[in-house]
Amino acid sequence: MVVLASTPAVDHIPLLRSPDPGDYFSGMPVVDLSSPGAPRAIADACERFGFFKLVNHGVPADTMDRLESEAVRFFSLPQADKDRSGPAYPFGYGSKRIGLNGDMGWLEYLLLAVDSASLSGACAVPSCALFRAALNEYIAAVRKVAVRVMEAMAEGLGIAAVDALSGMVTAEGSDQVFRVNHYPPCHALQGLGCSATGFGEHTDPQLISVLRSNGTSGLQIALQNGQWVSVPSDRDAFFVNVGDSLQVLTNGRFKSVKHRVVANSLKSRVSMIYFGGPAMTQRIAPLPQLLGAGEQSLYKDFTWGEYKKAAYNSRLGDNRLAQFHR
Ligand code: AKG
């Protein structure tokens, strides 16, 4: 991490070395969801990286663009108007503060609750009807993609029940969250060789995250050897992350990927992420079908509710699963 003496605009935001072209992730797995080989390719990518790019996913470009335009419109509102949609806890607008434990990033965001396949009626934010319609159309579509990907994961793992994983996000009471992030350009650091942390390193606690961004890169993932690599943006594709809970369900076969965002000094990044989590009471333990003869779970038993509580009480970069290891 870079430490810079005094740059008031980025006070309290940790700095990172600016990415250079050599950091690009040359080995990124790209999965064609329409191909018969998708289940095996998805399982392979989840075992090696916990991350892959998904193409031919079937979500119309219009659905993605409409939501991006509405999000840009929202984030362009005067600060006082946006603040009326906050704070972000449990749901709403937030700026710079991520969570309640002191993590800071160069971003603003909307954190939204999802019920079944649309925004939760109880979530009054955002109030604009066009934005809500764009969110609902997009959430319904991206959730279908998440379900198809989880079905493919089950097939790729050789599990006979197609819904062994996807059933956890389609179940009544599943804990789904949607997040729209805006990383404004951080002009103050232009040319200094360092960049503001947009979103600090972390793994996602849920089962699966499905991300789409505009054409500004910034997302980085950590490879299993600890090297950080930059993910080239692709506004037509989704990027899928394995979350901690899915790592546990597969007894460590799938890897929950550590990732972060480096803010750009010239261009805004807008990302929208669907996080699929199970119901609070769902037990998170390796699926029996995946345990070989005599193989023991690597983890203590816990429910999603217990894990979520532990995750929300920790710092972003903490190894949250460590306390649940046997
Ligand atoms: C998150 O919201 O949990 C992220 O990791 C953000 C990733 C991004 O904005 O590209």
Side-chain angles (χ1 to χ4, degrees), residues 59-69 134 137-138 212 272:
V59 177
D62 270 4
T63 303
M64 307 204 270
D65 292 345
R66 202 164 13 251
L67 178 53
E68 184 185 321
S69 308
E137 180 182 329
Y138 181 88
R212 188 265 181 185
M272 34 229 214

Side-chain angles (χ1 to χ4, degrees), residues 179 181 183 199 202 204 211 213 219 241 259 261 269 271 273 275:
R179 184 171 186 119
N181 293 324
Y183 305 88
F199 210 116
H202 65 287
D204 294 333
L211 176 146
S213 78
L219 178 64
N241 287 358
H259 56 288
V261 176
R269 174 177 170 85
S271 61
I273 307 131
F275 298 95

Side-chain angles (χ1 to χ4, degrees), residues 168 248-249 278-288 297 300-305 326:
M168 293 188 197
V248 175
L249 289 172
M280 291 298 185
T281 52
Q282 173 70 49
R283 178 172 173 263
I284 307 294
L287 296 176
S297 170
K300 297 175 193 158
D301 255 24
F302 56 90
T303 62
W304 166 242
R326 273 195 208 274

